[in-house]
């Protein structure tokens, strides 16, 4: 059964390693009959969450802030799968991704008890380091997030050893792993 997939690309590089992972994932997902919408967060005007807990009054526009999150909210609501894509910054996801994801709380504010919509999820992560220890903080964050939201983890692609933009192009196995994950969703 075809799925609707939203990719939140938190990379600030237009043609970086994370973008290449996203392209490979999208290729696989679309070849399997899924529809994919990618949001390049760096190009969007998205402000940080105010922590005001004043959202949730209007499903069409759940947050009190009016910025480019208005483009993401309807796609997020309709999505079966949310893919988080980011380079590793200080052993975590990028600020762009964290900022946008925090703002999704406004959708939960529309629900009784702040219930988040149930989704499937995946993580695409490029990083300079390439050890399990290097990825451990991101793994803990992602698995904790998915667990608390009640989301089903469909897979993780850790693409280590990639620092300079384009390094990943010399690692076809990493791109193939991202494409395979896309076909499996």
């Amino acid at each position: 059964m075809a799925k609707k997939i939203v990719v939140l690309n938190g990379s600030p590089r237009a043609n970086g390693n994370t973008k290449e992972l996203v392209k490979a994932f999208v290729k696989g997902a679309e070849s399997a009959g899924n529809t994919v919408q990618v949001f390049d967060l760096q190009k969007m005007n998205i402000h940080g969450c105010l922590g005001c807990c004043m959202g949730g009054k209007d499903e069409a526009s759940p947050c009190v802030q009016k910025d480019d999150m208005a483009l993401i909210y309807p796609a997020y609501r309709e999505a079966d799968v949310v893919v988080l894509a980011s380079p590793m910054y200080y052993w975590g996801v990028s600020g762009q991704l964290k900022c946008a994801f925090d703002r999704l709380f406004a959708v939960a504010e529309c629900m009784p008890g702040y219930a988040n919509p149930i989704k499937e999820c995946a993580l695409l992560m490029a990083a300079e380091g390439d050890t399990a220890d290097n990825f451990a903080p991101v793994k803990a964050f992602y698995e904790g997030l998915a667990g608390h939201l009640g989301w089903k983890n469909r897979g993780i692609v850790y693409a280590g050893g990639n620092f300079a933009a384009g390094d990943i192009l010399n690692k076809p196995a990493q791109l193939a792993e991202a494409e395979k994950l896309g076909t499996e969703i």
Side-chain angles (χ1 to χ4, degrees):
M1 181 173 154
K3 300 203 181 231
K4 293 179 183 174
I5 302 170
V6 165
V7 178
L8 300 176
N9 178 10
S11 178
R13 291 179 176 167
N15 296 304
N17 299 307
T18 303
K19 181 69 168 195
E20 294 300 324
L21 283 173
V22 169
K23 286 177 8 186
F25 174 86
V26 169
K27 179 181 176 186
E30 289 179 343
S31 75
N34 300 299
T35 59
V36 183
Q37 188 169 5
V38 177
F39 292 97
D40 288 319
L41 302 173
Q42 174 64 23
K43 297 176 185 176
M44 300 177 77
N45 178 28
I46 299 174
H47 303 284
C49 179
L50 298 173
C52 67
C53 294
M54 297 296 294
K57 294 173 178 65
D58 177 4
E59 278 195 28
S61 182
C63 186
V64 298
Q65 297 187 76
K66 304 306 174 203
D67 58 16
D68 287 345
M69 282 300 295
L71 302 171
I72 295 175
Y73 289 132
Y76 170 71
R77 259 195 221 88
E78 294 293 317
D80 302 301
V81 182
V82 177
V83 177
L84 307 179
S86 179
M88 181 181 289
Y89 280 9
Y90 279 96
W91 299 274
V93 298
S94 70
Q96 292 86 339
L97 178 57
K98 183 72 169 84
C99 180
F101 203 89
D102 286 350
R103 292 281 304 282
L104 294 176
F105 183 69
V107 174
E109 288 181 298
C110 293
M111 305 298 289
Y114 299 130
N116 286 281
I118 300 300
K119 308 281 181 193
E120 296 176 15
C121 57
L123 174 66
L124 305 174
M125 168 72 56
E128 179 181 10
D130 63 357
T131 64
D133 194 45
N134 183 67
F135 288 106
V138 171
K139 182 179 190 293
F141 165 76
Y142 172 72
E143 290 178 351
L145 179 68
H148 285 289
L149 294 175
W151 290 7
K152 180 181 179 185
N153 177 12
R154 294 300 304 265
I156 301 171
V157 175
Y158 294 126
N162 298 297
F163 181 70
D167 278 352
I168 200 167
L169 296 174
N170 296 316
K171 297 180 180 80
Q174 292 178 344
L175 296 172
E177 186 180 356
E179 184 175 344
K180 181 176 184 274
L181 177 58
T183 63
E184 294 172 348
I185 301 243

